[in-house]
Amino acid sequence: NVKDFRNCVIFNSGTANNRVENSTISNCSSYGIFLSASSGGHTLLNNNLIQNYIGVFVNQNSFNNIIENNSFSLHSDAGLRTRYSSSNIIKNNIFSNNQNGVSMEFYYGETKFTGNTIQNNIACGLCVYGFSSIKKIYTVNNNFINNGGGQIQMHEMQLSDALPIGGNYWSNYDEPSEGCFDTNSDFICDNALNFGHVADSFPWKYK
């Protein structure tokens, strides 16, 4: 377990294929885990990140990282923040009770964001700033629950895939009073959930 440093875990520029597993990282005044620019191929698995400024920061040109089955809570900026990074797999994590659950800035390539639970974050659950001229962020089969400033704020996302994969669960769109009707009992809302210029075409009725 690592705690009470400014930056608790750092992967330096030029490094590749490192792992952090089964650790608790807490009370770091800047970053719990910092993936430096021009590094990549790192795996963060089964970790508990608590009460840092930012839980994990993925810096520019850090690509092909796997962030899986971690818990991010009580971060004063964001559980996870990426900047000018792409081709990451972010799956099966829990982001709860942070200022922002996840913030992605100026990504420019394919990132997969699947199977995550994003709940009770103060500002937004998933914030995406800037845009990709190459591919949208693949954002499916996640649970977005009671995020205060908005479930998502985004530019370019793919929020659903063909059935049976479907889209995401949204706590503010799961019953008829909110517009979610399931007349054929397939656990998918009959109508898409629109977010400006993008939509979840197959929002799940249940988590």
Side-chain angles (χ1 to χ4, degrees):
N1 298 337
V2 184
K3 64 179 182 178
D4 298 328
F5 293 95
R6 183 182 178 206
N7 300 310
C8 285
V9 178
I10 301 174
F11 293 159
N12 290 326
S13 179
T15 61
N17 303 320
N18 293 300
R19 301 176 70 91
V20 178
E21 296 183 57
N22 304 316
S23 299
T24 296
I25 300 170
S26 62
N27 297 306
C28 310
S29 61
S30 288
Y31 309 120
I33 301 175
F34 182 82
L35 307 187
S36 298
S38 302
S39 68
H42 306 303
T43 298
L44 311 179
L45 179 67
N46 297 331
N47 299 293
N48 191 13
L49 293 112
I50 308 171
Q51 208 165 2
N52 308 293
Y53 179 64
I54 295 174
V56 172
F57 187 94
V58 183
N59 207 358
Q60 61 189 27
N61 299 321
S62 180
F63 304 137
N64 300 314
N65 302 293
I66 298 173
I67 300 172
E68 181 178 0
N69 202 35
N70 304 284
S71 174
F72 299 79
S73 60
L74 302 174
H75 295 93
S76 53
D77 180 271
L80 169 65
R81 182 178 290 275
T82 71
R83 179 178 296 160
Y84 291 103
S85 179
S86 67
S87 302
N88 299 304
I89 295 173
I90 304 165
K91 66 179 182 178
N92 300 335
N93 302 285
I94 298 174
F95 302 92
S96 63
N97 299 293
N98 306 287
Q99 179 67 23
N100 298 289
V102 179
S103 178
M104 298 184 187
E105 304 172 14
F106 303 104
Y107 65 97
Y108 54 98
E110 183 176 7
T111 283
K112 293 184 177 180
F113 188 83
T114 62
N116 301 287
T117 295
I118 307 95
Q119 63 183 0
N120 300 324
N121 297 287
I122 297 168
C124 72
L126 173 57
C127 313
V128 177
Y129 306 103
F131 65 93
S132 170
S133 60
I134 304 172
K135 293 184 178 180
K136 297 179 178 181
I137 295 175
Y138 184 78
T139 307
V140 301
N141 291 167
N142 302 288
N143 298 314
F144 291 92
I145 304 169
N146 299 331
N147 295 291
Q151 304 279 36
I152 59 173
Q153 298 175 12
M154 75 299 181
H155 286 264
E156 297 292 325
M157 290 186 193
Q158 178 183 340
L159 291 177
S160 56
D161 207 337
L163 295 175
I165 295 173
N168 301 276
Y169 168 79
W170 310 91
S171 63
N172 58 320
Y173 193 72
D174 62 354
E175 56 186 58
S177 64
E178 297 166 330
C180 175
F181 299 89
D182 182 17
T183 56
N184 61 352
S185 301
D186 64 352
F187 308 118
I188 298 286
C189 301
D190 295 339
N191 298 312
L193 179 60
N194 292 295
F195 297 91
H197 63 290
V198 298
D200 186 340
S201 299
F202 303 109
W204 288 97
K205 184 175 174 61
Y206 300 105
K207 292 182 284 185

